[in-house]
Amino acid sequence: TGEPQTITITPQNLGSEVLLTVTKQNYYRYSRKLNVIPTTGPYLVFNSCEINDQNANGQLDFKEDATLNVSIHNVGFQSIQNVTAVLTSDSPYVEIGSAITTYTSLSPDEIVNNTNAFSIRVLDGVPDQEVIRFQLTMTNGVDVFTDNFSLKVNSPEFEVTKLVIRDMDDNVIDRLFKMEQAKLTYTVKNSGHSNSNAVRSILMLDAPVIDYENYIFDVDGIDANDSVDVSFVIRVLEEAPDGAIIADHVTVESGDYSSGYSSEIPL
């Protein structure tokens, strides 16, 4: 109507959330969750978190130590002093080193930040883009407040995208030949959001008529969204049957991360 309206809101339980949505024709929808707080006393909520990590990119990566600058907000109506905050998480991919910090005083509507409030370690093997949930419990010894926040983790993620067969003159061929050497080249891609540590690729062929010049290929690491070619030189023995189909398997390993690739190569 364009005029102020009176809207009756059903009383809610303390600690619950109310979803406020504002809409208007030809405008974007605005939506926000609001905490239900008491009308008296202090009330503490999580405000923000800044990551101090080893590679200084401000993001959590696999197998990385970090400290967290955590700020809390007193959205209540009274001051509160000597607040102890404890950080916990149910995630199997994080270890919390220093879990306790103290905020001296917060006035009503005041935001206070503690630098290096907590220390954590992200474990090897955490999936790329895993969201780790943390719980913050805050108390002055009388009142207890809990709030949650989440941090996303970057890690490598491998895939083998293709196989190219070449002869020893580097010509591309479509099959193997008896009594000849060939080079099998696979493209290994890190499609994750974090640079990897050292990567080992291992070739296995399901055929006793193959000699390997090398079946292991090591690289120092693969950057995020980058790829490398790994090559294996083999030789087909004279007793190999004509027309055979050889199954090839490549396993890519880096710490707790691995990926596999299989195909068939004609002879």
Side-chain angles (χ1 to χ4, degrees):
T1 64
E3 298 297 327
Q5 301 295 310
T6 299
I7 302 174
T8 300
I9 298 177
T10 303
Q12 304 293 305
N13 294 325
L14 294 178
S16 60
E17 290 182 327
V18 174
L19 180 64
L20 171 68
T21 303
V22 182
T23 61
K24 183 178 180 181
Q25 187 176 1
N26 298 326
Y27 280 76
Y28 288 111
R29 177 188 300 266
Y30 175 86
S31 186
R32 182 176 177 181
K33 291 182 178 180
L34 305 176
N35 291 318
V36 177
I37 67 172
T39 56
T40 61
Y43 198 90
L44 301 179
V45 296
F46 165 82
N47 183 72
S48 66
C49 176
E50 183 180 24
I51 301 168
N52 307 308
D53 57 324
Q54 289 176 288
N55 61 8
N57 67 354
Q59 301 178 30
L60 288 182
D61 292 280
F62 77 106
K63 207 173 181 180
E64 183 177 50
D65 294 324
T67 61
L68 306 179
N69 303 341
V70 174
S71 64
I72 61 176
H73 188 185
N74 181 6
V75 296
F77 299 92
Q78 293 180 3
S79 298
I80 186 170
Q81 289 79 37
N82 300 321
V83 175
T84 299
V86 179
L87 186 70
T88 56
S89 178
D90 292 332
S91 172
Y93 299 112
V94 67
E95 293 178 348
I96 299 176
S98 176
I100 301 175
T101 191
T102 300
Y103 297 83
T104 304
S105 177
L106 291 97
S107 300
D109 200 33
E110 184 180 12
I111 298 173
V112 175
N113 178 67
N114 269 10
T115 302
N116 300 323
F118 307 102
S119 65
I120 64 173
R121 169 173 291 178
V122 182
L123 302 183
D124 199 8
V126 56
D128 187 38
Q129 302 300 280
E130 175 79 5
V131 175
I132 297 180
R133 288 180 57 83
F134 294 92
Q135 184 177 74
L136 196 62
T137 302
M138 301 157 283
T139 181
N140 62 350
V142 178
D143 301 306
V144 180
F145 313 95
T146 60
D147 205 354
N148 300 304
F149 67 96
S150 300
L151 298 174
K152 186 180 292 185
V153 178
N154 298 325
S155 63
E157 186 172 342
F158 300 109
E159 57 179 324
V160 182
T161 59
K162 64 180 178 179
L163 162 65
V164 176
I165 309 172
R166 291 184 173 89
D167 62 23
M168 299 312 293
D169 294 324
D170 235 18
N171 299 309
V172 177
I173 55 179
D174 62 358
R175 62 193 308 110
L176 300 177
F177 297 93
K178 288 195 294 185
M179 301 290 291
E180 293 186 13
Q181 285 185 311
K183 183 164 55 178
L184 308 182
T185 301
Y186 300 83
T187 299
V188 179
K189 181 178 181 180
N190 177 7
S191 56
H193 290 75
S194 181
N195 300 341
S196 79
N197 293 328
V199 179
R200 168 164 288 187
S201 300
I202 305 171
L203 173 68
M204 183 179 70
L205 300 176
D206 291 342
V209 293
I210 300 292
D211 270 345
Y212 297 88
E213 183 173 302
N214 70 304
Y215 65 93
I216 294 176
F217 195 104
D218 292 326
V219 296
D220 291 337
I222 306 176
D223 291 344
N225 202 33
D226 199 3
S227 59
V228 299
D229 288 339
V230 299
S231 296
F232 307 91
V233 176
I234 63 169
R235 181 177 181 273
V236 182
L237 303 181
E238 183 178 7
E239 57 267 29
D242 294 329
I245 300 294
I246 298 175
D248 63 311
H249 309 279
V250 173
T251 301
V252 179
E253 301 175 344
S254 178
D256 286 348
Y257 299 94
S258 65
S259 181
Y261 173 87
S262 298
S263 66
E264 294 181 335
I265 305 173
L267 176 62

